[in-house]
Amino acid sequence: MISVTGLTKRFDGAPVLDRIDLRIAEGERVVVIGPSGTGKSTLLRCLNFLDRPQEGTIRIGDLVVDAARASKADILALRRRTAFVFQNYALFANKTAQENIMEALITVQGRDRAEAAARAREVLAETGLQDKADSYPAALSGGQQQRVGIGRAMAIGAALMLFDEPTSALDPEWVGEVLTLIRRVAERRQTMLIVTHEMQFAREIADRIVFMDGGRIVEQGPPADLLDAPRDARLKRFLSRVA
């Protein structure tokens, strides 16, 4: 079980996340939607302290982290249980596809290079990129780079995978292959929290959709309920714009 309670983030005194409460069951796939600038990406970044929240607690299994008191050890423990897929890939330009996947296995999990390399090769095969192991990011398409990014997240076996608009930086021709890979990972009942503007993808993959506006969770529920019969006026306006 993953539990977020009272999560609050302020930039220059202005609240971006306003006491967010969220529960995610093991194996559940939760998709976050909402207008730009409403705190969706910040929520993901706060969950593994890429951005540090000022208040709130994050619980993943038996690990509980209090944002106001979190130590470096707490943050490292939290990051060992989460994996982040960035919208802009965030690969190391000077490392091959295999080395990009190995990096977290070595630096965060403390595996030796041989073990990390073997795991990286397994993941590359799962993502259909086994022939790109020695390729650098500059030699890969956007879709291939994002698949390496997803592979990097897959490799560490995290309790929670965080996807921050994983297709937003892609040319349309590469979107399908990335969504296909995410679906394949989801089929394993990997616990996921996904921010996306792809409404059809959200409908297909989500067990539950969460709508955020103004730094708060406004409405949530199963895809059919939330997308086809929204109750909140703000959600109705949002869906009318993205339809």
Side-chain angles (χ1 to χ4, degrees), residues 80 102-113 115-116:
R80 284 176 173 155
M102 291 171 58
E103 184 68 17
L105 296 173
I106 295 170
T107 60
V108 177
Q109 295 191 341
R111 302 195 196 189
D112 63 44
R113 290 193 64 84
E115 182 183 4

Side-chain angles (χ1 to χ4, degrees), residues 97-145:
Q98 178 171 308
E99 289 168 342
N100 266 281
I101 294 173
M102 291 171 58
E103 184 68 17
L105 296 173
I106 295 170
T107 60
V108 177
Q109 295 191 341
R111 302 195 196 189
D112 63 44
R113 290 193 64 84
E115 182 183 4
R119 177 60 181 144
R121 288 192 294 271
E122 290 176 0
V123 169
L124 286 167
E126 292 176 28
T127 60
L129 293 171
Q130 58 266 44
D131 60 335
K132 302 294 184 181
D134 297 323
S135 297
Y136 289 89
L140 301 174
S141 71
Q144 290 169 336
Q145 289 185 62

